[in-house]
Amino acid sequence: MVLEQATPAQESKPTHHHDLRGVITKVEPEKNRFEIRTGGGRVVLCVVDKETTLKRGHKKITLEDVQPGERARCHCAALRNGRHYSQSLRLEEKKDD
C-alpha cells in the first residue's frame, strides 16, 4: 500500500482516517517519505508534507531526525480520489544509555 502525498487544501475531505503502528524501516527525507513495518508484517510507504506533524515524545522533529529501527505511530488520512497522506508521525522517546 502506497500513501501518496496530498493535502486537505488540494483535495476533498478525507473519507476515513487510520493509524499505523510499527517500526520505521526506511527514511528518505529528500523524497518526503518513510516506510513503516506494522505488527502484521506489512510494510507501508508513507508520504509527508508541510502540514505533517512529526514528534519524538513531546519534541518536534524533522524527517531527517527519524532513524530506521525506531518504533512509531503514523496517523494517515484517505481521500476520496484514493490518495493518502500522513497527518502525524509520533516516535517513541529515545532512552539515554
Side-chain angles (χ1 to χ4, degrees):
M1 179 168 139
V2 174
L3 304 179
E4 298 180 27
Q5 184 174 3
T7 64
Q10 297 170 329
E11 307 281 348
S12 60
K13 292 184 178 183
T15 57
H16 70 276
H17 295 262
H18 54 275
D19 287 323
L20 300 170
R21 296 174 191 264
V23 176
I24 301 294
T25 57
K26 185 177 187 180
V27 182
E28 297 178 298
E30 69 284 355
K31 295 181 180 178
N32 295 321
R33 64 189 189 187
F34 64 92
E35 290 180 351
I36 185 170
R37 183 179 342 104
T38 67
R42 185 175 71 171
V43 176
V44 180
L45 176 64
C46 301
V47 178
V48 301
D49 63 17
K50 65 181 180 177
E51 302 297 321
T52 305
T53 303
L54 295 102
K55 288 187 176 183
R56 178 177 290 113
H58 298 289
K59 181 181 175 188
K60 287 186 179 183
I61 60 171
T62 65
L63 196 55
E64 289 84 8
D65 299 319
V66 179
Q67 299 294 315
E70 291 191 84
R71 295 196 53 73
R73 175 180 172 240
C74 178
H75 182 78
C76 303
L79 301 172
R80 284 190 174 88
N81 67 1
R83 290 185 170 214
H84 295 77
Y85 70 97
S86 176
Q87 291 184 312
S88 66
L89 175 65
R90 303 283 191 254
L91 299 171
E92 286 185 358
E93 290 185 76
K94 289 187 175 180
K95 304 220 188 306
D96 293 331
D97 293 349

